[in-house]
Amino acid sequence: MVTRIIRTVLVQKSFAMPLTKPQQTIFDDPARFRVVAAGRRFGKTYLSVWEIARIVRFPNKNVFYCAPSYRMGKQILWSQLCDDLRSRNWVKKINESDLTITLVNNSKVSIRSADNYDSMRGVSLDAVILDEAAYMSKEVWTEVLRPTLSDRQGICLMISTPQGMANWFYDIHTAAQSMDDWASFQYTTLEGGNVLPSEVDAAR
């Protein structure tokens, strides 16, 4: 019954704003692993909240949102995610110290940091979102988070502002263009649609 209510609410209640066209393109892509290089103010956090809600509407799901640091994860996503899930009446319990939200259908969402990646070993995940992945070490993905997706055939959304060409995120973004079940996307700040051209010109 609870699961049916959550699914219905997800359909009936829209977000405050729709996804932009680039965000929607990423959201709709069926690839298991999606890698996104996007300029600043693209709306990475907003897209992440949509992605999380889509997964946890089903019962007993376990999702990690991973930021480069604990502080960044809390500042970037935590308040927005709590507010959104509360507004849907999905929340059963919020653990502020552990940054974990338990839903009424027993799904869980946790904020985790890449600077303490050993603490994420040994769990089973249905999805992981790596925000600002270019600013994490490669081992966060290859040694820790990728294995957590194996037994549940979990998915990954890996998104970051670019950090040049000499880093693992650039390499995996390039490789994703030719690998099965992977997809890569690239958008500038202007293409993201959230910043006016005049503002981009002024910043330049």
Side-chain angles (χ1 to χ4, degrees):
M1 179 63 178
V2 169
T3 301
R4 188 182 307 119
I5 291 172
I6 281 189
R7 291 178 185 173
T8 302
V9 171
L10 184 69
V11 173
Q12 293 179 345
K13 174 180 172 56
S14 63
F15 283 74
M17 297 182 296
L19 292 172
T20 63
K21 186 175 180 179
Q23 290 169 341
Q24 191 72 55
T25 298
I26 297 165
F27 187 77
D28 290 342
D29 193 284
R32 183 182 175 193
F33 304 104
R34 288 162 292 157
V35 186
V36 184
R40 296 187 182 280
R41 311 313 304 165
F42 174 80
K44 297 187 297 294
T45 303
Y46 193 63
L47 176 59
S48 296
V49 172
W50 272 68
E51 189 71 26
I52 290 168
R54 170 164 65 176
I55 298 161
V56 299
R57 75 188 193 271
F58 297 107
N60 303 311
K61 299 298 182 182
N62 195 12
V63 178
F64 275 8
Y65 168 92
C66 184
S69 69
Y70 174 89
R71 183 183 181 89
M72 287 180 65
K74 189 169 185 178
Q75 288 182 336
I76 292 171
L77 187 81
W78 181 245
S79 294
Q80 184 174 337
L81 182 62
C82 287
D83 289 346
D84 181 83
L85 296 179
R86 280 195 189 105
S87 73
R88 297 167 183 277
N89 296 316
W90 290 9
V91 175
K92 179 180 179 181
K93 179 181 178 182
I94 293 178
N95 188 326
E96 292 282 351
S97 61
D98 190 50
L99 297 186
T100 294
I101 305 171
T102 303
L103 306 186
V104 294
N105 65 354
N106 292 320
S107 286
K108 290 184 179 181
V109 186
S110 301
I111 310 298
R112 295 293 180 258
S113 64
D115 57 4
N116 185 28
Y117 60 81
D118 280 335
S119 66
M120 296 185 285
R121 294 181 185 272
V123 298
S124 295
L125 299 176
D126 297 283
V128 61
I129 297 171
L130 277 70
D131 196 353
E132 295 296 3
Y135 298 86
M136 304 175 188
S137 67
K138 179 180 179 180
E139 289 73 23
V140 173
W141 170 245
T142 58
E143 295 185 12
V144 179
L145 290 177
R146 177 60 183 90
T148 67
L149 301 172
S150 296
D151 58 339
R152 298 193 184 193
Q153 293 291 292
I155 67 170
C156 176
L157 174 63
M158 195 180 298
I159 188 166
S160 184
T161 48
Q163 196 191 30
M165 300 171 64
N167 62 81
W168 76 275
F169 179 76
Y170 174 84
D171 293 340
I172 201 167
H173 182 274
T174 302
Q177 299 171 22
S178 58
M179 291 193 296
D180 292 339
D181 220 7
W182 285 74
S184 65
F185 307 85
Q186 185 170 0
Y187 295 102
T188 65
T189 295
L190 192 57
E191 289 170 335
N194 292 313
V195 179
L196 293 173
S198 59
E199 186 66 20
V200 174
D201 289 340
R204 286 172 179 163

